[in-house]
Amino acid sequence: MTTFSLFDKSSKFDGIYAFFIVNRFQMLYLFFLMPTYLLHPFMIWGIVAMAIFSQLNIRLLCKWLESNYAKKGYQGFVELFGVRMVRLLTFIGLILILIKITVITLGYLEVIHDFIFPAMNSNWIIFFILLTSSYVASLGMKNTIRFVVIVFLCVFWMIFLYYPFFIPPIAALHDLYPLIPTNWTTDSWKGLLLIWASYSGPEYLICLIPWIKPQQKMRKYLTYANALSTSEYLLLFIASLFFFGSNYLSKSKYPIIHMIRYLQSPLFERLDIILISLHMFLLVFAISIFLLCIYGATRIILKKTSTQPSRMGFAVTCIMLFLCFVIVNNWIWSIETEQNILLNIQIWLSGITYFIVPTFLLLLTKLKGRVKA
């Protein structure tokens, strides 16, 4: 029987893979909701401001990635925190990843159900998505990381389809006024929080440290990824303002997808179905990465890091994740008020972890260095 090697560390990846991973993680489900939350044209400056703060956060994260603790992988965390604290932090991280991947999966599920398969039982959609993700994850972390290149090539070009919304007669400059806020409400603060949560994703590189070249300078690649995500946020939000106007953006939950339905092609009648289907590559990739992280975190918590990964343990993890998705989908996500609560929890947790993780790791590393000195 062949060895089931999920976490083989024989291959190290260049910074270009970190660029692909961070950019696509920043373009997960939340960007679909961004125009509905932002509404006002002056929130363009909110995207720019959060991009700057995100870049500062990336700078802190990159400094830690260049430290000796980061280069040692799991052993570096043990030296930094101790075995017990590593297990505790891993448990907390496991909960955060479960919440994130559940909200993202069920959010995409709602899009698929509404626009492609309205008559299909949503649990079957979950089953097929997770089955595909489980297969990709079973190929190991190395191959899953390589898969991000295919994901990027399948998805990135979609942004260019929105160019018709920037030309007359759809585009009107007055739709971008006012660019200076005349009033600031609680909804505006919520919009800033959503933007910040959308920028989260780079912090998950700490889970992929063993597969990243230790001498590779990450800062420029993550800077490019952050800049590309910012460009996509701005283009999609401005296109939404041109098409709907700020007064009508709140009437549509997924304005970015509804806009595509108005585009006509001589070859394809329903471009939205094609684009949503291709976007599933990104969902499969995200679930595959997080599935491996969940299985790896479980092994750390159960003190199984010295043993070989087993097919049975991986299968049990997949089954438990499937049951988690189904339970939340049927008893929480199907109720609008409960769905909003879960979504807000995810937004808050993403914003908090993205802010805290790089700063906390770097400060503790600096403190450890002084203590040793």
Side-chain angles (χ1 to χ4, degrees):
M1 183 179 293
T2 58
T3 303
F4 189 58
S5 182
L6 290 178
F7 305 108
D8 178 30
K9 303 178 181 66
S10 59
S11 296
K12 300 288 184 178
F13 294 94
D14 294 329
I16 188 64
Y17 284 89
F19 164 81
F20 289 143
I21 291 171
V22 168
N23 174 248
R24 288 303 97 190
F25 272 7
Q26 289 180 331
M27 295 302 296
L28 283 171
Y29 172 70
L30 291 182
F31 84 96
F32 282 140
L33 306 175
M34 191 175 290
T36 306
Y37 273 70
L38 302 189
L39 295 178
H40 305 291
F42 58 76
M43 293 304 291
I44 292 173
W45 302 115
I47 296 176
V48 175
M50 292 300 104
I52 294 172
F53 284 118
S54 177
Q55 183 57 38
L56 295 175
N57 223 36
I58 285 175
R59 185 180 180 88
L60 297 178
L61 178 63
C62 290
K63 285 186 177 181
W64 185 80
L65 290 174
E66 295 169 0
S67 69
N68 291 327
Y69 290 106
K71 295 172 184 177
K72 295 178 182 178
Y74 172 73
Q75 190 58 40
F77 283 107
V78 173
E79 294 179 10
L80 196 58
F81 298 104
V83 176
R84 290 185 178 179
M85 184 58 67
V86 166
R87 292 176 65 202
L88 175 61
L89 293 176
T90 301
F91 177 76
I92 296 173
L94 176 62
I95 300 299
L96 295 175
I97 289 175
L98 277 174
I99 295 174
K100 183 180 183 71
I101 196 59
T102 299
V103 171
I104 289 172
T105 302
L106 297 184
Y108 274 111
L109 169 67
E110 186 176 17
V111 172
I112 297 171
H113 193 266
D114 290 349
F115 291 91
I116 303 180
F117 301 115
M120 188 176 183
N121 189 310
S122 57
N123 292 329
W124 281 108
I125 302 177
I126 293 175
F127 173 77
F128 289 121
I129 291 174
L130 191 56
L131 182 65
T132 307
S133 302
S134 300
Y135 170 74
V136 174
S138 69
L139 300 177
M141 185 66 82
K142 291 190 306 181
N143 293 317
T144 303
I145 291 176
R146 290 191 181 101
F147 182 56
V148 74
V149 178
I150 298 175
V151 172
F152 184 84
L153 295 177
C154 286
V155 176
F156 169 71
W157 56 268
M158 294 181 187
I159 194 70
F160 297 105
L161 294 177
Y162 289 86
Y163 82 92
F165 300 107
F166 288 87
I167 57 179
I170 294 177
L173 193 58
H174 63 76
D175 288 325
L176 299 183
Y177 298 143
L179 285 175
I180 299 176
T182 55
N183 61 330
W184 193 266
T185 63
T186 304
D187 291 334
S188 300
W189 287 112
K190 290 180 179 178
L192 287 179
L193 177 62
L194 176 69
I195 299 170
W196 178 251
S198 299
Y199 275 110
S200 67
E203 70 274 21
Y204 289 100
L205 286 180
I206 66 174
C207 302
L208 308 179
I209 287 174
W211 294 273
I212 298 176
K213 285 186 177 180
Q215 302 301 325
Q216 185 71 38
K217 297 295 183 180
M218 287 289 130
R219 186 176 303 174
K220 67 175 182 179
Y221 292 104
L222 300 194
T223 298
Y224 294 153
N226 194 65
L228 180 59
S229 300
T230 302
S231 300
E232 293 182 78
Y233 293 158
L234 288 172
L235 286 172
L236 291 172
F237 181 48
I238 293 173
S240 301
L241 288 172
F242 280 146
F243 186 75
F244 288 97
S246 59
N247 294 328
Y248 293 96
L249 264 181
S250 60
K251 307 300 181 182
S252 174
K253 185 174 183 180
Y254 301 111
I256 293 175
I257 300 176
H258 282 292
M259 289 162 62
I260 290 292
R261 302 183 72 177
Y262 286 88
L263 295 180
Q264 296 181 355
S265 169
L267 297 178
F268 305 104
E269 183 179 354
R270 291 290 303 275
L271 280 175
D272 56 321
I273 293 179
I274 298 173
L275 299 185
I276 293 171
S277 300
L278 286 175
H279 219 278
M280 290 305 100
F281 280 90
L282 176 55
L283 177 61
V284 168
F285 169 73
I287 295 177
S288 302
I289 287 288
F290 287 127
L291 180 57
L292 289 169
C293 291
I294 290 171
Y295 180 50
T298 304
R299 283 167 48 80
I300 292 174
I301 295 170
L302 298 179
K303 298 182 179 180
K304 299 290 186 179
T305 54
S306 59
T307 62
Q308 190 72 18
S310 66
R311 289 180 172 83
M312 180 60 70
F314 179 72
V316 170
T317 303
C318 296
I319 293 171
M320 295 302 294
L321 189 60
F322 172 71
L323 293 176
C324 175
F325 288 165
V326 171
I327 291 172
V328 175
N329 180 49
N330 291 327
W331 281 280
I332 298 179
W333 198 262
S334 57
I335 305 172
E336 185 175 357
T337 54
E338 301 293 332
Q339 179 186 135
N340 291 333
I341 292 174
L342 186 59
L343 180 61
N344 287 328
I345 290 174
Q346 164 56 22
I347 292 172
W348 273 99
L349 289 178
S350 293
I352 291 172
T353 54
Y354 186 38
F355 176 76
I356 289 179
V357 170
T359 305
F360 175 68
L361 288 175
L362 185 60
L363 286 177
L364 193 59
T365 300
K366 296 290 186 182
L367 181 62
K368 279 280 186 177
R370 291 180 180 177
V371 170
K372 286 186 177 182

